[in-house]
Amino acid sequence: MNACSQLRTAKKMPLLQRIWKARMAYLFLLPGIIYLFIFKYIPIGGLTLAFRNFNARLGIWHSPWVGLTHFQRLFITPRAIDAIFNTLQISLGRLIFEFPIPIIIAILFNEMRGARIKKIYQTALTFPHFLSWIIVATILQDFFGTYGVANYLLRSLGLEGVDFLTNRSTFRAFVFFTADWKEAGWSSIIFIASLSGINSELYEAAAIDGAGRLRRIWHVTLPGLRATIITMLIMKVGQSMNAGFEQIFSIRNPVVLNVVDIIDTYVYDITFRATPNYAFSTAVGLFKSVVNCILLVVANFSTKILFGQGLFGEKKGA
């Protein structure tokens, strides 16, 4: 009996019988299912806090219901509106200035010859990932702060110092630059893994046909990365409302707050640096999740229309 016949036979079996037949596989899945249920699904009930005027003495379920009041506040509070626009702008910037870099690094590694030098470069590029953003912020301050290395060199050359980290017009560039330096090498690993699955005979055939290195990259390497790029792009778009809290929280300062204050830092400030309003914070978090879900669905639908492929495989007829 071939695999197709076995599959058809299995589909005809009752559901409980199929589960019992694969009981060992389900047993291995059980701890993960329990974890998801306890820590992911049960807490969803707490989202009702976003629609209540929370009173600690009454608890979540007995606090008065206020409907969409907290969501209305989100769209009439100037700082919240600024945080939403900053989040979207920074996320768009990350798509433009950060998303392509790991792909380029993976392609460059694929074109390198010599295993030893490749390992050296890969180690050097992935090492920053293991540094915390607090350490990166300290390094940034030491190099580009008012009394940092960069300003010391400028003054030693008789030039005027520059306040790199308090310049609103250039601060976002530091956000993208530090994110690339810290994470691009690590993020390239998944693309390098995808490249290892490309048949080497395709490169040989392209070389025999007279294709140079750039043409082989365009006609062999990039098509081989297509599915991975599309999947990672969709997931990146689906996280647009998460613009990098840990990074921005670590390197921000009051002078540039209006250009890097994102939703997550705004929620942190109103929750822990002012009179806490947990109901409003929950409403902001729910708003973020809903927008991310919508963006994910739109991105998946768009890539299926444009490229014939989405998160769940290729479009029928593509």
Side-chain angles (χ1 to χ4, degrees), residues 250-278:
S250 301
I251 67 176
R252 68 175 180 163
N253 59 73
V255 180
V256 297
L257 190 63
N258 63 334
V259 296
V260 293
D261 188 29
I262 58 174
I263 293 177
D264 288 335
T265 56
Y266 169 67
V267 170
Y268 177 89
D269 288 342
I270 64 174
T271 305
F272 298 105
R273 291 186 174 179
T275 303
N277 188 334
Y278 299 112

Side-chain angles (χ1 to χ4, degrees), residues 113-135:
R113 298 296 177 261
R116 175 170 293 188
I117 190 66
K118 188 183 293 187
K119 287 180 180 179
I120 292 173
Y121 278 115
Q122 191 167 7
T123 301
L125 288 173
T126 55
F127 172 73
H129 167 77
F130 299 98
L131 300 176
S132 73
W133 276 113
I134 297 298
I135 295 175

Side-chain angles (χ1 to χ4, degrees), residues 34-302:
I34 294 174
Y35 168 82
L36 287 174
F37 180 75
I38 294 176
F39 295 102
K40 300 297 182 180
Y41 287 97
I42 291 179
I44 289 177
L47 291 177
T48 184
L49 185 62
F51 305 94
R52 296 178 182 273
N53 188 12
F54 178 65
N55 186 316
R57 291 180 301 172
L58 298 176
I60 296 177
W61 302 108
H62 298 288
S63 295
W65 185 270
V66 294
L68 300 176
T69 301
H70 298 304
F71 295 94
Q72 293 171 354
R73 176 187 167 189
L74 176 63
F75 293 104
I76 62 174
T77 304
R79 187 182 169 190
I81 296 172
D82 290 341
I84 293 172
F85 280 108
N86 285 339
T87 301
L88 293 173
Q89 290 170 6
I90 291 174
S91 293
L92 179 61
R94 292 192 189 279
L95 284 175
I96 297 172
F97 299 112
E98 295 179 21
F99 182 76
I101 305 301
I103 302 171
I104 295 171
I105 291 174
I107 293 173
L108 292 175
F109 275 133
N110 191 57
E111 294 298 316
M112 288 178 66
R113 298 296 177 261
R116 175 170 293 188
I117 190 66
K118 188 183 293 187
K119 287 180 180 179
I120 292 173
Y121 278 115
Q122 191 167 7
T123 301
L125 288 173
T126 55
F127 172 73
H129 167 77
F130 299 98
L131 300 176
S132 73
W133 276 113
I134 297 298
I135 295 175
V136 175
T138 304
I139 295 172
L140 198 63
Q141 185 66 38
D142 289 341
F143 273 87
F144 298 103
T146 305
Y147 301 101
V149 175
N151 275 310
Y152 175 80
L153 292 175
L154 288 174
R155 293 189 185 98
S156 66
L157 294 173
L159 301 174
E160 188 178 351
V162 179
D163 292 330
F164 293 102
L165 301 182
T166 55
N167 190 328
R168 295 172 185 167
S169 61
T170 60
F171 192 81
R172 282 186 183 175
F174 279 99
V175 172
F176 303 137
F177 169 75
T178 53
D180 281 332
W181 175 77
K182 186 176 184 298
E183 299 295 346
W186 180 262
S187 299
S188 67
I189 292 175
I190 190 169
F191 297 105
I192 294 172
S194 297
L195 287 173
S196 66
I198 299 177
N199 192 340
S200 60
E201 294 179 359
L202 296 175
Y203 290 103
E204 296 172 2
I208 292 173
D209 289 340
R213 178 167 289 186
L214 291 178
R215 284 192 173 273
R216 290 199 298 270
I217 291 173
W218 183 258
H219 293 288
V220 180
T221 305
L222 287 177
L225 284 174
R226 179 186 174 192
T228 305
I229 292 173
I230 290 174
T231 300
M232 298 304 293
L233 177 63
I234 294 172
M235 294 177 67
K236 187 78 172 178
V237 172
Q239 293 292 317
S240 293
M241 299 303 285
N242 303 326
F245 167 76
E246 189 177 354
Q247 178 196 12
I248 292 176
F249 180 77
S250 301
I251 67 176
R252 68 175 180 163
N253 59 73
V255 180
V256 297
L257 190 63
N258 63 334
V259 296
V260 293
D261 188 29
I262 58 174
I263 293 177
D264 288 335
T265 56
Y266 169 67
V267 170
Y268 177 89
D269 288 342
I270 64 174
T271 305
F272 298 105
R273 291 186 174 179
T275 303
N277 188 334
Y278 299 112
F280 181 61
S281 302
T282 305
V284 176
L286 180 57
F287 166 75
K288 273 183 48 185
S289 299
V290 171
V291 174
N292 276 338
C293 183
I294 293 172
L295 290 174
L296 179 69
V297 173
V298 170
N300 186 53
F301 178 79
S302 300

